[in-house]
Amino acid sequence: MVLAGGIPPTGSVEAIKGGENPAKVIYFAPTLALAKKLLRSGADALVIEGMEAGGHIGPVSTSVLAQEMLPELSENHLIFVAGGMGHGNAIAGYLEMSPASVQLGTRFACAAESIAHENFKKAFFRANARDAIASVQVDPRLPVIPVRALKNNGTEEFTRKQIEVTGVLDREEIAMEEAQLQIEQYWAGALRRAVIDGDVENGRLMAGQSVGMLKAEEPVADIMQKLMVQSEEALTRR
Ligand SMILES: Cc1cc2nc3c(=O)[nH]c(=O)nc-3n(C[C@H](O)[C@H](O)[C@H](O)COP(=O)(O)O)c2cc1C
């Protein structure tokens, strides 16, 4: 079971690892201090994910996180490095730094086996790295959870919505909690709208910066084969 978003509530790790169907627990660890804490509290493996990744992200790049965290953690623990890998060359680089494993999302989002809508896949194939942008926060009073997604009408509307709510707040026409709730709920159901319904204008097309390297639909086996060959070639060259 994979957990993200900081320290899990008390009792949740015990519930996952105990009981009739015990599972291994993998955490997303945003900092070295938190990674150490999570390992002490029973994590079986960690994911360290940089800001190049698609979906919910932290502020630091994969390469910096890997340099900072792998030497401290990877000797005795299974660590997955994630974010920004679209070619086996990059995978080889992280494997060379430590006995780490890697996790890729964007590269597989449009695989032949992916149930994503045709419109969603087409938008990915059209996109360049710079189209996959992190969500913008307009006002420090209105927290925005950072997500990397393709820019579209929805991302622009979200900025406009924040400006509108900021104005309403300034005029004291709304309570802070209500304003924050409006921002928090803005994207509810938006990933489903993009992936399943194919609404690529208003849905949320979560994508990492490696999206620019995706050009066509391929079966997972072919993607894996390519990545393996590229990684092996890179490691051999080195
Ligand atoms: C469309 C999409 C949806 C994602 N949804 C989730 C999710 O629900 N939970 C999660 O932990 N990570 C999610 N991720 C992040 C991936 O698990 C993975 O860590 C990330 O994609 C790796 O970086 P990359 O996109 O650069 O390959 C998602 C990524 C994408 C592209």
Side-chain angles (χ1 to χ4, degrees), residues 129-144:
R130 64 183 55 205
D131 299 322
I133 56 169
S135 32
V136 175
Q137 180 173 353
V138 168
D139 188 311
R141 293 172 300 177
L142 302 173
V144 169

Side-chain angles (χ1 to χ4, degrees), residues 37 41-42 47 88 90 97 99-100 117 132 136 145 180 204 212 236:
K37 198 168 177 166
S41 66
V47 181
M97 286 173 75
H117 194 281
V136 175
I145 299 171
Q180 290 175 343
R204 199 164 218 190
T236 307

